[in-house]
Amino acid sequence: MTADLSPLAARARIHAALGDPARLAIVDALTLGDASPGEIAQTLDMPTNLVAHHVKVLTEAGLVLRRRSEGDRRRTYLRLRPAALATLTPPPPARAGRVVFVCTHNSARSQLAAALWRRRTRGDAASAGTKPAPRVHPRALAVARRHGLHLDPTGTAHVEDVVHDDDLVIAVCDNAHEELTGPVRPRLHWSVPDPVRVGTDDAFEAAYADLAERVDRLAPATVGGAR
């Protein structure tokens, strides 16, 4: 069983157990209901001795429980433990009251990311730059409008004026991630290519799509992200 394993080792054991197609098929078969090993063998057209082997591996990984039938006491039913599957997801970042997205000029990527986060979670979000520009880039404003987001054209700011100790800081560009080595350090890094360097609508659309996908992936793992 997985009781004495570290959380990471327990997750690795579950991944290994699911790495065999036959064991994955057994898990699939138990997703919506319980079954005896014999029923599993019949459903999957698998020899009973092979089912017994795979069930042993799944049981030792903590994925499957055995329960004696209340009717025919000689029969055993297998039950999937959905909670074990849930542990396959990496642990979320430390909880934070606010998310701050940082890039170099705070004129495109960080602005779009903060707007996407607010819309996705209805939570508190801000953006900042290591070398903030005086204005948000016109193409960033345009792509935001196309996707129903509002950006303040003059709302750029420096990281030192924005970031608080309890913020979850996410660098959305490589330069900011590499430059911020002092008191303000990003907890996460999203290596999103700079659309300003290319300067086309397609580049800004690509940056928007990249950020939207990353926001959707992170949001459910944070407080308020599932709203």
Side-chain angles (χ1 to χ4, degrees):
M1 296 298 288
T2 60
D4 297 329
L5 298 177
S6 70
L8 194 62
R11 285 174 56 210
R13 192 170 194 174
I14 294 171
H15 276 289
L18 294 174
D20 185 283
R23 290 196 285 273
L24 188 57
I26 293 172
V27 169
D28 288 345
L30 295 173
T31 298
L32 299 180
D34 305 340
S36 69
E39 290 168 337
I40 291 290
Q42 184 176 13
T43 299
L44 300 180
D45 192 21
M46 191 183 299
T48 54
N49 63 330
L50 195 55
V51 170
H53 164 71
H54 289 313
V55 167
K56 182 176 184 291
V57 174
L58 292 170
T59 302
E60 291 176 347
L63 281 162
V64 169
L65 297 173
R66 298 171 180 265
R67 186 182 66 80
R68 186 72 65 180
S69 168
E70 292 182 351
D72 181 352
R73 301 290 296 177
R74 295 170 298 179
R75 180 174 298 191
T76 297
Y77 287 112
L78 306 174
R79 176 179 180 176
L80 183 67
R81 290 187 63 243
L85 292 175
T87 65
L88 294 177
T89 303
R95 297 188 173 191
R98 185 177 68 156
V99 180
V100 179
F101 297 93
V102 179
C103 65
T104 304
H105 299 302
N106 190 213
S107 64
R109 290 165 290 181
S110 56
Q111 295 279 353
L112 291 169
L116 281 162
W117 187 266
R118 286 190 291 267
R119 182 169 70 182
R120 173 65 173 77
T121 69
R122 294 185 175 86
D124 194 6
S127 67
T130 55
K131 301 178 181 68
R135 296 180 62 85
V136 176
H137 195 282
R139 291 188 187 274
L141 297 173
V143 74
R145 282 196 301 269
R146 286 195 293 273
H147 293 278
L149 297 175
H150 172 73
L151 302 183
D152 179 358
T154 61
T156 60
H158 193 278
V159 289
E160 294 180 357
D161 299 324
V162 174
V163 175
H164 303 151
D165 290 341
D166 60 345
D167 289 333
L168 171 58
V169 179
I170 302 176
V172 293
C173 84
D174 298 340
N175 286 335
H177 173 66
E178 294 162 11
E179 290 173 9
L180 292 173
T181 58
V184 177
R185 300 194 68 177
R187 206 176 302 168
L188 295 175
H189 172 215
W190 295 351
S191 184
V192 181
D194 185 3
V196 175
R197 291 188 179 184
V198 181
T200 64
D201 287 342
D202 285 346
F204 278 83
E205 285 287 351
Y208 173 89
D210 191 348
L211 291 165
E213 188 274 332
R214 291 173 184 268
V215 164
D216 284 343
R217 194 190 320 160
L218 177 64
T222 63
V223 177
R227 288 188 232 173

